[in-house]
Amino acid sequence: MKRIIAIASSLAVLLSAASCDFLDIRTEATLPSTGIDYSKSENMFMPVSAAYAQMRAGHGFNYLCLAEIPSDDADKGSESSDSATAIEMDGYKFTPNNGLLNSVWTEFFNMVSAANNAIEQMPRFAAAQTTEENIFLSRQYACEAKLIRAYAYFQLTRLFGEVPLVDRTMTAEELGNNPALSSDELYEFMCRDLDDAIDTLPESYGKGWGCRYTRYTAMGLKAKVALYHGDWAEAARQADAIIASNRFKLMDDFRYVFSVEGEGCQESIMEIESSDMGMSSGSAPYLDYAYIQGPRNNKPSNMQGWGFNVPNDNLISFLKERGDDIRYAATILERGTTTPEGDYILETCTNPYYNGKVYTPSTYNDWSYNGYGFDHNVRVIRYSDILLIYAEALVNGAPAGTCGYSADFALNMVRARAGLAPVSATIDSILDERRAEFAMEENRLFDLKRTGRAAGTIKGFVSPKHDYYPVPANQLQLNTALSQRAGW
């Protein structure tokens, strides 16, 4: 049974955190009605665990419909008539009334609220502790929650652009009159949270903590936040620190990185954990990210999913024309083929291709009803991302760091693992490498947007209208200080 971030070692305690009061925190950040004994240090991680649990809630069907399906690499998939709202997103026919927009907005602000709750609980724990060690632990936990809050805002800003700041528990009246901040203000806020995490979080945890977030997670996230803001010096500085630490490496086998066995490997900087905890029914801390993308109409039942978010012919052609055989084999799950683990994908499956990076062998899918991919973690930041961020920052004028790598060297490390010959590092070659390396990992759409290339690449995309998603119509009613983006 795989390890996963837990409040304590007992499964019962973990499940209570993943499915009860703390997970159900409202956007308004109302506190749970149940009491907490703040003098018990073993209770201290409970609200932080709840923030981790909320991250699982934010990475399902709604998120994929905004973060990958509208890219030039993916199609909606499933049956052609399935989900009118997803069809709108795929064809750039959506309006602010599309319910997926409001769902994603709400899910990530719920993540913010869960993190705020954890941050605000920590001084109460600190005041009730009797040792300096536990008092410091409370500060560490608060910074862990700040990292999660920064991640939520990273997603909100790359999806919606300028959004309101909710950095504490706020009343309904405050939330209803809370204007959006500028991109510079939101960037500074995320950086402050991440700097606190970098300064306070440990470099690693024991094996029992799974993929829990460390100082290097905060560095990796800050490098990516800086990349999107065009702060090349900061992106290079954080990427360089990770490279120079010598704690991470590219795994030799690209396909292994996306296996259950490869979760939390030396290439992992940040993951969102999912697990059925070896159970076949009941409550467990799994998410349906992989299940949503599983082969539709496949057999047996534990080898099928909804079949949404499928690789399209455009991506297939791109990988084949590059001779990118290693990454093609890991990324593209074709119907009518048998996987190396012996699972057959029926020729009668609805779509010709599925996302191979979420493929989970049948031996892991032991849930009593379907349950495909419940043990699959979402890969958020990998070491290859750090190398390519470093290369892109240097090409954009950032000074080289202490790791001794040039932009060419960092780029070609990633290419070498894929069996490709070296090339010179340019914006074009780096973006092509990012497309191949991170295909179907919710990066392509945003790479095109941040570099101003989406309008000429994605059918139906109009700039600046589609540079960010519109403010959901529901949110304009709830928060009178918000105004709609231009063009909507």
Side-chain angles (χ1 to χ4, degrees), residues 290-363:
Y291 175 58
I292 289 164
Q293 303 177 72
R296 190 175 182 90
N297 294 337
N298 200 35
K299 293 181 180 178
S301 62
N302 72 339
M303 279 304 300
Q304 68 170 312
W306 291 0
F308 283 99
N309 191 40
V310 297
N312 63 19
D313 291 337
N314 191 29
L315 176 60
I316 301 297
S317 297
F318 172 74
L319 292 174
K320 285 185 174 181
E321 288 169 5
R322 287 167 53 92
D324 220 320
D325 298 338
I326 290 174
R327 287 188 286 212
Y328 181 97
T331 306
I332 311 301
L333 185 64
E334 298 184 21
R335 66 184 176 191
T337 62
T338 301
T339 70
E341 292 78 9
D343 293 314
Y344 183 61
I345 311 304
L346 295 177
E347 293 182 1
T348 54
C349 284
T350 307
N351 309 105
Y353 310 111
Y354 295 95
N355 184 358
K357 288 181 175 178
V358 301
Y359 161 71
T360 312
S362 57
T363 52

Side-chain angles (χ1 to χ4, degrees), residues 73 143 192:
D73 282 349
C143 289
R192 286 195 298 271

